[in-house]
Amino acid sequence: MEIVAATPSRPLEAVLEDYRRHYGLGKDVVLNFLVEALASRRAQALMAVEAGRPLGVVIFSRRGDEGRIHLLHAQSPDAREALLERAEEELAGPGTLARLSSTLPFGVGESLAETFSRHGYRSIGRGRMVLPLETPVPEAIVPAGYRLLPWQDDRLPDAATLLQEVHAGPEDLALYPDLATVEGAERLLRRCLEGEFGLFKSALSFMALAEEEHDPARPRLAGLCLSVWHPGYPGQGFILDLGVAAAHRRKGLGRALVLTTARAFARAGATALGLAVNLSNRPAVSLYESLGFHLEERFLVFQRPALPA
């Protein structure tokens, strides 16, 4: 068995069709992986070949100090190991990686969990939930002592502090290491505002302010719902993050922020509002279910920390 670059003389079609059939995936699922790889990053594809017969494929890319495995498939465990190891070698070649990651459909991820685990990855179960916007969204009830308003750029440092506070758990930090510090959270927010995760419009993201008497001119930021137009699902909105400071929870702020965001996207012509959530976060999943979101798909995220050159 040898690992070779995919070329016109070594087309991927047969291997990708085997991948789709093996896991019972729709053609659009495979297409979405390829679109993500090709549209946002400089992707490479390697194939495992034996006696001229393709055994499997890995598609990967690197941007800055982050590496990503978009697709890994081979029915032979040896071929899977060889493909992943070679992809990591290629990714590490230009210099040290801060992390590697891979997001795969749940059934695919389960079958590859052992392979990724042997390479030092940890897995996190995630779900994509969707709220259809064809029917009217109920008006939000804002708790007394709070007010909601669209995103304000001058609140970016406050928003970074809030996100760093609410995402202190190990799963969140594994997914988004930048949130370990306020400075990192601010960098992540700036990337969002610049459109890296989808088209950002300030009128579609909302802040909850606590109208505290001791500083009426500068109310404290109590919650945030950060949203964009979904880059992969035309006509849909996407909640990147929902966070409420610990001192302001259990008052209905999260519910009010999501409903206000949903109504804003509906007025803007969106057909649906989606989000991704850790499946282990049952309070969040229950909140979204109570608002009418349904679980559309489950997937596994694999994360591995620094990989030296």
Side-chain angles (χ1 to χ4, degrees), residues 106-177:
F106 204 85
V108 179
E110 282 187 316
S111 69
L112 297 177
E114 187 175 339
T115 300
F116 276 106
S117 178
R118 280 197 293 270
H119 284 248
Y121 293 77
R122 64 172 293 174
S123 62
I124 301 168
R126 300 269 282 171
R128 174 173 136 78
M129 302 187 75
V130 176
L131 174 68
L133 297 178
E134 287 86 359
T135 56
V137 178
E139 189 169 351
I141 300 175
V142 182
Y146 297 90
R147 61 188 171 97
L148 305 189
L149 74 166
W151 170 270
Q152 296 180 333
D153 286 341
D154 66 341
R155 287 282 188 170
L156 190 146
D158 299 336
T161 299
L162 172 66
L163 294 183
Q164 195 272 333
E165 173 198 330
V166 301
H167 293 296
E171 284 194 349
D172 285 348
L173 293 180
L175 289 168
Y176 306 107

Side-chain angles (χ1 to χ4, degrees), residues 195-206:
E196 184 172 328
F197 310 117
L199 179 62
F200 176 83
K201 296 289 186 180
S202 58
L204 299 173
S205 289
F206 290 87

Side-chain angles (χ1 to χ4, degrees), residues 76-286:
S76 157
D78 290 343
R80 287 198 297 267
E81 291 280 353
L83 285 165
L84 181 56
E85 184 173 339
R86 179 65 178 276
E88 290 178 340
E89 290 174 358
E90 294 289 333
L91 287 168
T96 300
L97 284 174
R99 64 170 180 158
L100 292 101
S101 66
S102 183
T103 300
L104 302 172
F106 204 85
V108 179
E110 282 187 316
S111 69
L112 297 177
E114 187 175 339
T115 300
F116 276 106
S117 178
R118 280 197 293 270
H119 284 248
Y121 293 77
R122 64 172 293 174
S123 62
I124 301 168
R126 300 269 282 171
R128 174 173 136 78
M129 302 187 75
V130 176
L131 174 68
L133 297 178
E134 287 86 359
T135 56
V137 178
E139 189 169 351
I141 300 175
V142 182
Y146 297 90
R147 61 188 171 97
L148 305 189
L149 74 166
W151 170 270
Q152 296 180 333
D153 286 341
D154 66 341
R155 287 282 188 170
L156 190 146
D158 299 336
T161 299
L162 172 66
L163 294 183
Q164 195 272 333
E165 173 198 330
V166 301
H167 293 296
E171 284 194 349
D172 285 348
L173 293 180
L175 289 168
Y176 306 107
D178 285 345
L179 295 177
T181 65
V182 173
E183 294 77 15
E186 189 165 330
R187 287 195 302 271
L188 205 58
L189 281 170
R190 292 190 186 280
R191 290 165 61 188
C192 169
L193 301 184
E194 291 166 2
E196 184 172 328
F197 310 117
L199 179 62
F200 176 83
K201 296 289 186 180
S202 58
L204 299 173
S205 289
F206 290 87
M207 297 178 158
L209 301 184
E211 299 178 318
E212 299 171 339
E213 294 182 3
H214 70 273
D215 190 4
R218 184 72 175 177
R220 187 183 302 277
L221 181 64
L224 172 67
C225 188
L226 193 67
S227 308
V228 297
W229 285 100
H230 201 298
Y233 294 86
Q236 292 191 19
F238 189 76
I239 295 177
L240 287 174
D241 210 335
L242 173 69
V244 176
H248 303 278
R249 292 175 189 164
R250 300 186 182 279
K251 299 180 180 181
L253 273 183
R255 177 179 294 270
L257 282 164
V258 174
L259 287 176
T260 301
T261 300
R263 288 170 64 88
F265 270 103
R267 289 194 300 270
T271 58
L273 179 64
L275 55 86
V277 62
N278 291 352
L279 295 174
S280 62
N281 188 348
R282 288 306 309 169
V285 173
S286 297

Side-chain angles (χ1 to χ4, degrees), residues 14-15 26 29 43 58 62-63 92 131 134 140 145 172 215 222 245 249 268 270 304:
V15 186
V29 174
V58 61
R62 173 170 178 153
R63 182 167 57 187
L131 174 68
E134 287 86 359
D172 285 348
D215 190 4
R249 292 175 189 164
R304 176 178 173 176

